[in-house]
Amino acid sequence: MALGVVVVIAVLCAIWVLRGGADAEPLPGQPLRTLAKAKGLEIGTAVRGDHAKRNRAYRQTIAAQFSTVTPENEMKWEQIEPERGEFEFGPADDIVDRAREAKQKIRGHTLVWHFQLPGWVRELGPRELEAAMRTHIAEVVGHFKGDVGVWDVVNEPVSDRGGLRPSVFARRLGEDFIALAFRLAHRADPDAKLYLNEIGAEGINAKSDRLYEIVSRLKRDGVPIDGVGFQFHANLDGLPDDHVANLQRFAALGLDIAITEADVGVPLPPDGQKLDHQAQIYEQIVRGCLTVTCRSLTFWGFTDSRSWISETQPGMGAATLLTDKLAPKPAFGAVQRALGG
Ligand code: XIL
């Protein structure tokens, strides 16, 4: 008898774990994706495939609130081609399958980046590196053709002082690696929108000036670039005053604009005042995006339990819209209001 009870409890526990725990508590107000749609805007989040697999409430919140997703790490070179010519598409495929079910678009992140790059790529000379780029881009973009509508083709090519970042790509191939990457991506999927994505280029500064020069030249040379992604990793110092003017000068080149990785880090521990301040900055990000008619606004995660800020920046955290228990923070309401909710 006692054994029977134990077995039943064990089975119930197993079912609970397999379904991924509890359902998400409904969030107040209209879902972000509904509000954004009325404004003609795609609204998205970075997602972590491993957590999505395990946690039902996390999955449900992604499906309910967002119209696009960006795999946070699963499409990076290190994960998708860890050994030369050996592709591991499984974890990214899982995210793509879930997004399809939730009727979400997918932003592919990222094809050519100096970071989260496997060691073997760094060791290649110019010819071999170019060959590796050709294979990588053709295979990855080809694999997701029709599913991934937008690619961050090149990520973070400019250094903070405005030089070309001395990545293995820049050192071996010079600035031309950027145009090459776009041409290869376009060849692999002529329908995908191709973006250059940059960090710390939100305001008018040496970095965004150089970025402006680079994309102007790409346009002039007929390179198939469709847009520029601005990451918008912010903190309580706020946004640069001229961020709207900066985004507008890029839009004036005939390029689409997207905000691709927004979050607002808070010095720990968070308190009411800091979270209200954070909410104001989130609101400015959304309003700025609407002002420049950006196509898409993606948050770099949506719960404080899964955010790279708390994982990588000591003393900082609480950077997202929802608590680690998926309860709304002031920032969530502020984003809803800025979207007209
Ligand atoms: C970060 C991820 O969020 C982390 O999980 C990972 O450990 C490192 O990369 N700019 C980018 C993103 O373009 O890919 C980075 O994502 C954050 C900065």
Side-chain angles (χ1 to χ4, degrees):
M1 178 65 181
L3 183 64
V5 172
V6 170
V7 169
V8 169
I9 292 174
V11 168
L12 289 176
C13 287
I15 291 173
W16 178 258
V17 169
L18 282 176
R19 81 197 276 275
D23 286 321
E25 292 286 329
L27 287 163
Q30 291 206 10
L32 301 182
R33 65 185 291 177
T34 309
L35 295 169
K37 192 170 181 192
K39 299 272 184 195
L41 177 70
E42 298 287 352
I43 195 119
T45 180
V47 302
R48 296 194 176 175
D50 54 347
H51 195 56
K53 219 178 240 173
R54 286 195 305 267
N55 192 298
R56 184 178 178 85
Y58 180 83
R59 284 197 297 274
Q60 288 172 332
T61 307
I62 295 168
Q65 295 292 330
F66 299 102
S67 59
T68 78
V69 295
T70 305
E72 188 166 339
N73 291 299
E74 292 78 355
M75 289 183 177
K76 290 171 179 174
W77 198 319
E78 179 181 75
Q79 299 225 1
I80 218 160
E81 195 189 2
E83 299 297 332
R84 191 165 185 180
E86 288 175 24
F87 291 86
E88 294 185 4
F89 291 120
D93 284 342
D94 288 347
I95 294 177
V96 170
D97 290 346
R98 263 197 202 100
R100 210 186 287 119
E101 269 169 43
K103 301 196 168 29
Q104 291 163 322
K105 296 187 177 169
I106 299 143
R107 299 185 67 92
H109 178 79
T110 172
L111 298 170
V112 177
W113 187 28
H114 65 281
F115 193 58
Q116 291 178 285
L117 189 64
W120 64 266
V121 178
R122 295 178 208 276
E123 283 156 25
L124 302 174
R127 278 178 160 217
E128 284 300 302
L129 182 64
E130 187 178 323
M133 270 176 68
R134 286 182 186 279
T135 306
H136 183 76
I137 294 175
E139 290 292 323
V140 176
V141 176
H143 179 84
F144 294 108
K145 191 169 178 206
D147 285 319
V148 170
V150 180
W151 278 103
D152 289 334
V153 176
V154 175
N155 196 25
E156 304 179 347
V158 185
S159 66
D160 287 343
R161 293 218 212 116
L164 197 62
R165 186 190 287 277
S167 66
V168 64
F169 303 102
R171 280 186 283 117
R172 306 273 195 273
L173 304 170
E175 192 176 317
D176 288 350
F177 87 88
I178 300 174
L180 174 66
F182 277 87
R183 292 204 162 97
L184 294 170
H186 184 67
R187 194 175 305 158
D189 184 356
D191 295 326
K193 297 282 178 205
L194 305 183
Y195 275 61
L196 198 157
N197 197 46
E198 189 54 272
I199 188 169
E202 288 75 23
I204 297 181
N205 56 30
K207 193 176 208 178
S208 65
D209 283 350
R210 182 62 186 268
L211 183 67
Y212 184 83
E213 240 177 72
I214 291 174
V215 297
S216 303
R217 185 167 323 135
L218 294 174
K219 282 289 277 183
R220 220 170 33 238
D221 293 349
V223 174
I225 177 172
D226 297 290
V228 181
F230 295 87
Q231 295 187 8
F232 274 77
H233 293 293
N235 56 39
L236 295 191
D237 293 343
L239 305 175
D241 289 340
D242 51 11
H243 67 279
V244 170
N246 185 45
L247 268 48
Q248 267 161 345
R249 69 173 169 156
F250 284 84
L253 293 171
L255 290 161
D256 290 346
I257 303 298
I259 291 180
T260 51
E261 306 186 12
D263 52 19
V264 182
V266 167
L268 298 173
D271 60 28
Q273 206 183 350
K274 290 181 197 171
L275 294 182
D276 285 344
H277 187 189
Q278 176 188 50
Q280 287 168 11
I281 296 168
Y282 264 109
E283 190 166 342
Q284 282 171 13
I285 294 175
V286 179
R287 291 196 192 286
C289 187
L290 292 171
T291 304
V292 306
T293 342
C294 68
R295 299 277 159 156
S296 164
L297 165 55
T298 292
F299 302 108
W300 208 239
F302 59 93
T303 164
D304 289 344
S305 75
R306 294 287 179 287
S307 158
W308 79 302
I309 297 295
S310 35
E311 291 161 358
T312 59
Q313 297 183 21
M316 298 291 286
T320 73
L321 302 179
L322 306 178
T323 67
D324 50 3
K325 302 273 186 301
L326 299 179
K329 292 161 64 186
F332 183 73
V335 168
Q336 285 177 314
R337 273 195 306 283
L339 290 172

